[in-house]
Amino acid sequence: MRLRSLRNPAEHSRDGVLEAESTLIEQYGDLVRLAHVVLPVSLGRHRRVLVAHSVVQRALRAARPARVGRAVPPPRQENRERTALERSYLVIVVRDALAHGRRPAGWPARLAPPRALLPRLPLVLGLRLFPRSGSADELRFAQALSALPAPARAAFMLHLHGIPDDTTADVLTEAGVDDTATALRQARVVATEARPGSSVLQEFDACALQASPTDLLRRRRRTRAGGVAALALLATAAAVMSTQQEDSSRPVLPSGTTESVLRTTDLTRVPAGLWDDTSRVDFTAWPARGSRTQDEDLLDRALSTWARPPHGTRVTASRATSTVPPLSAPQLLYAGDVQRQAVVLLYDGQRLARYSEPVSSDGNPGMPRSLTVARVDDADVTTAAAVALTSDRTGVRYLIAPWIAETQTRDLLRPDTLARPLDVSGEGVTRAVPVPPRAGGCDSGPVLQLRSSERIAERHAFLLAGVGDLTPVHLTYTPLPGHGSPPARRPREATGPAALLAWSHHACALQELRDTGARAVNAWDFAEQDLPDGGGHAVWTCARTSTWRGSGEAVVTLRTSGDEPDEAARVVSRERSSAVCTRFGQHVAAATGWRSPKGKWYVLAAGSRAVTALTIDGAVSARRQGRSLSVPAPPHPNVTLRANLSTGGQLRGLVPVARR
């Protein structure tokens, strides 16, 4: 975004306003992309696009730098005025975009920020707009960028398009950012992974959009329902006015109005074979399955419970997920009986909702009812491959995606044991998959091992681990770097021998992800080293957890060749809400104390592939060339670590868990 020159209009001058409008349109796309990246991801893809355009369109009215002197200024004065107006537009767009993410004290977490609730132009009815989807790498870039704070995202966009750091800092300060230095530092890390004109920017281009219908199959029904509701509203209002009762100020809508908008007949149902003939393989390709997909009473109860949960209903939601009902009737994925529970699974394009009620012997609906809502936006062939229908003492029963050709289960704690077949009913429901207890020991690590149909991808098998949410977590693995100066390796499916060995030491840690909204975990073996005193070989791993809301955490661990396959790796460091161990934080170094088999203490340190030297200070001081270090030390040494990179920069080692 090399901002083009903007002429500074004379205030109250019609010609000046027209000129300012034309020049704003000239750089409109660049400012919209800036606003779109800064806006909070919680707005959703459609609303985020519309709000980005609204922020930029309103900037014309807010930008009013004063012009003094002659009607036609000399060149130097005109250049200064152009710079002032250019900065004014930047400040306004960044300030307004940041304001959409701020919540007043006491504002409910489940509601969007106040500014995001205000109706603004442009409005789009009947369509959902979103930027073009990119490759898997570009999606990972988008998720990692979304995990950064909004000021850092703003600094990233300005830095990426050549705005100097001092100008960027001034713009952020005027926009209300307090810590501009941190924002610039975070932006530089991200900017090293993207270049101007990179295709990754397509993920954030809110001017090059795709459109999809929201209600193509039910628009006529909704129009008729809206007309009937409007007539009922007018009739009720007229009756209230004619009687002039004291309670005329109460809402005139009947209590069932919300429920009447969501009707069983409006539910979207897709053909059974759609997944085999679509470019979008996710929940939108799931057909309606189950023995009760035609049970209108059950479906009505599910829809009405989502719209207005009755008293006594257990309502739960994954982290950062709203439970408000959808604006239009959702897609039906499943309706049937599973282990004495009637279960309905719905999808509204961004969230899954699972409704369940006990099945009574007399056929009447039992109590208590339950409703669980979870985010699944941007799900793909792996993260949309299974959904938990029921969970009890025997385990979890999953509904498997229609594109899955083979369903197995395996124990992560036993990497040498082959996966075993898992029975799946004709409706796509598995038998119970055991889950480790919430408390106590960890003697098993059951996961799903699924294989996609060859019509989707050849020989594509992957692992999913249930952690208590509606959707299980996708497990991946990044192997050790090669020798010399190897290129960066990318995450791959965790089904090979090296991946299974790494995950056997991290399986029990998955229990810590319960109810966190985790989407995927990648185990990256970033370094290895030989241990002194015959201690064998050590491998350093960074387990990066990403969530549906975009943020995540990284845990660095150390395991040795003397550890049993089911022995948990030692936790060295834990980083929350940072870019560590992502493509935007691909350089990592850590250090820890270690006791050898001979009882001697050492400081062990290691870094990723770009590390060329390590320096430790504290209980012991030393410097070594290379990616690893081992130095004799007193018991339980407390040290700090610095690393030199092949790029010429320096990297601070992660803070050990013991010092937090």
Side-chain angles (χ1 to χ4, degrees):
M1 180 180 63
R2 193 170 69 87
L3 295 175
R4 302 172 179 85
S5 298
L6 296 176
R7 298 190 178 275
N8 191 352
E11 193 171 3
H12 310 303
S13 169
R14 176 178 175 82
D15 292 339
V17 171
L18 292 176
E19 183 180 1
E21 181 180 11
S22 66
T23 51
L24 178 64
I25 293 175
E26 193 176 326
Q27 67 160 18
Y28 184 81
D30 293 333
L31 290 174
V32 168
R33 278 186 285 272
L34 171 63
H36 183 259
V37 170
V38 179
L39 286 168
V41 182
S42 59
L43 292 177
R45 293 189 298 173
H46 175 74
R47 187 188 295 181
R48 193 180 182 191
V49 166
L50 296 184
V51 173
H53 285 268
S54 175
V55 166
V56 176
Q57 291 173 14
R58 293 167 63 88
L60 176 65
R61 184 176 60 183
R64 297 182 181 275
R67 166 183 285 178
V68 294
R70 292 173 290 177
V72 180
R76 291 184 180 179
Q77 180 182 340
E78 185 176 14
N79 289 337
R80 289 195 299 269
E81 292 166 352
R82 288 175 180 174
T83 302
L85 186 54
E86 175 181 308
R87 176 173 296 182
S88 177
Y89 276 114
L90 284 175
V91 171
I92 292 167
V93 170
V94 174
R95 182 189 62 209
D96 287 0
L98 291 173
H100 276 79
R102 299 192 182 106
R103 299 173 185 267
W107 188 262
R110 67 173 56 188
L111 294 180
R115 187 176 290 250
L117 297 176
L118 297 175
R120 287 183 174 181
L121 294 176
L123 298 175
V124 176
L125 300 177
L127 288 175
R128 285 208 168 270
L129 304 177
F130 48 90
R132 294 193 301 266
S133 296
S135 64
D137 289 339
E138 292 167 354
L139 288 174
R140 282 192 289 270
F141 180 97
Q143 292 164 5
L145 181 60
S146 300
L148 294 178
R153 298 198 300 269
F156 162 73
M157 288 298 292
L158 298 175
H159 179 87
L160 185 65
H161 293 90
I163 306 298
D165 283 357
D166 55 348
T167 303
T168 298
D170 291 342
V171 169
L172 294 178
T173 300
E174 293 181 46
V177 177
D178 296 328
D179 190 357
T180 59
T182 298
L184 287 169
R185 184 173 63 254
Q186 294 171 331
R188 291 190 198 100
V189 174
V190 178
T192 59
E193 299 298 323
R195 297 179 301 276
S198 173
S199 62
V200 77
L201 291 180
Q202 295 179 4
E203 282 293 316
F204 315 108
D205 193 348
C207 291
L209 302 171
Q210 288 181 316
S212 64
T214 58
D215 52 4
L216 188 60
L217 300 178
R218 51 189 180 274
R219 190 170 296 160
R220 291 183 60 191
R221 295 192 187 99
R222 292 180 61 195
T223 302
R224 287 198 298 267
V228 171
L231 290 175
L233 177 61
L234 291 174
T236 305
V240 170
M241 292 177 62
S242 64
T243 58
Q244 296 183 351
Q245 296 179 355
E246 294 182 358
D247 60 348
S248 61
S249 61
R250 297 177 183 176
V252 298
L253 287 175
S255 60
T257 299
T258 303
E259 288 88 335
S260 66
V261 175
L262 302 179
R263 298 179 182 275
T264 300
T265 54
D266 294 334
L267 287 173
T268 301
R269 304 168 189 248
V270 304
L274 179 64
W275 65 270
D276 191 24
D277 190 26
T278 180
S279 60
R280 182 176 175 180
V281 185
D282 56 15
F283 289 112
T284 60
W286 278 43
R289 291 176 287 175
S291 60
R292 303 182 67 176
T293 55
Q294 303 303 321
D295 189 336
E296 293 189 2
D297 291 337
L298 173 63
L299 299 178
D300 279 337
R301 289 195 296 274
L303 289 172
S304 63
T305 299
W306 195 358
R308 185 177 296 176
H311 179 71
T313 303
R314 292 195 301 260
V315 179
T316 58
S318 61
R319 193 168 300 181
T321 302
S322 171
T323 60
V324 298
L327 298 177
S328 57
Q331 179 181 342
L332 177 62
L333 304 184
Y334 181 85
D337 295 338
V338 184
Q339 287 299 105
R340 298 181 298 279
Q341 290 281 324
V343 181
V344 177
L345 189 63
L346 303 170
Y347 173 64
D348 73 346
Q350 299 288 326
R351 301 168 297 168
L352 286 177
R354 184 186 66 193
Y355 168 83
S356 62
E357 63 182 30
V359 177
S360 59
S361 57
D362 58 5
N364 295 321
M367 293 293 287
R369 304 176 185 180
S370 67
L371 177 71
T372 303
V373 185
R375 286 182 61 172
V376 290
D377 41 319
D378 294 323
D380 56 24
V381 66
T382 57
T383 51
V387 177
L389 290 183
T390 64
S391 178
D392 54 29
R393 294 180 179 178
T394 62
V396 180
R397 288 170 173 81
Y398 294 96
L399 182 64
I400 301 300
W403 58 80
I404 297 301
E406 184 179 40
T407 304
Q408 297 177 304
T409 184
R410 71 179 311 137
D411 189 347
L412 285 182
L413 294 182
R414 294 162 180 80
D416 296 331
T417 302
L418 296 177
R420 296 174 297 175
L422 180 64
D423 295 335
V424 181
S425 71
E427 298 177 352
V429 181
T430 69
R431 63 174 172 82
V433 178
V435 293
R438 287 181 176 267
C442 175
D443 55 6
S444 66
V447 294
L448 293 173
Q449 180 168 303
L450 307 180
R451 181 175 60 82
S452 302
S453 169
E454 292 187 357
R455 288 177 286 182
I456 297 295
E458 293 185 4
R459 300 179 180 179
H460 179 223
F462 53 95
L463 299 185
L464 298 177
V467 293
D469 290 328
L470 280 185
T471 54
V473 174
H474 181 208
L475 306 182
T476 56
Y477 171 71
T478 304
L480 285 164
H483 298 286
S485 300
R489 295 192 174 184
R490 299 184 181 277
R492 59 195 66 183
E493 301 301 346
T495 54
L500 293 173
L501 178 61
W503 269 110
S504 70
H505 296 281
H506 296 85
C508 293
L510 291 173
Q511 299 181 39
E512 301 174 6
L513 301 181
R514 287 184 181 273
D515 305 322
T516 61
R519 171 179 181 155
V521 185
N522 179 56
W524 171 30
D525 287 345
F526 66 87
E528 60 182 336
Q529 69 180 119
D530 292 325
L531 299 174
D533 295 346
H537 193 71
V539 176
W540 296 76
T541 303
C542 184
R544 174 73 190 192
T545 301
S546 59
T547 64
W548 290 103
R549 61 188 181 276
S551 60
E553 74 168 26
V555 178
V556 173
T557 63
L558 177 70
R559 68 180 190 269
T560 69
S561 55
D563 297 338
E564 295 295 329
D566 60 349
E567 186 175 346
R570 173 179 179 174
V571 176
V572 174
S573 182
R574 188 184 301 269
E575 293 287 328
R576 292 184 171 90
S577 300
S578 74
V580 173
C581 300
T582 68
R583 61 176 300 174
F584 312 112
Q586 57 183 309
H587 306 311
V588 59
T592 186
W594 176 78
R595 190 176 183 180
S596 75
K598 296 182 179 180
K600 298 179 180 180
W601 279 89
Y602 292 84
V603 170
L604 304 181
S608 52
R609 64 184 184 89
V611 170
T612 59
L614 296 167
T615 303
I616 58 172
D617 293 296
V620 62
S621 298
R623 177 182 172 83
R624 297 286 188 275
Q625 296 294 321
R627 302 177 191 165
S628 63
L629 171 152
S630 60
V631 178
H636 308 288
N638 187 0
V639 298
T640 59
L641 174 67
R642 289 177 290 111
N644 291 74
L645 302 176
S646 58
T647 59
Q650 283 198 338
L651 177 72
R652 290 184 180 180
L654 300 182
V655 178
V657 172
R659 296 208 340 249
R660 291 185 181 275

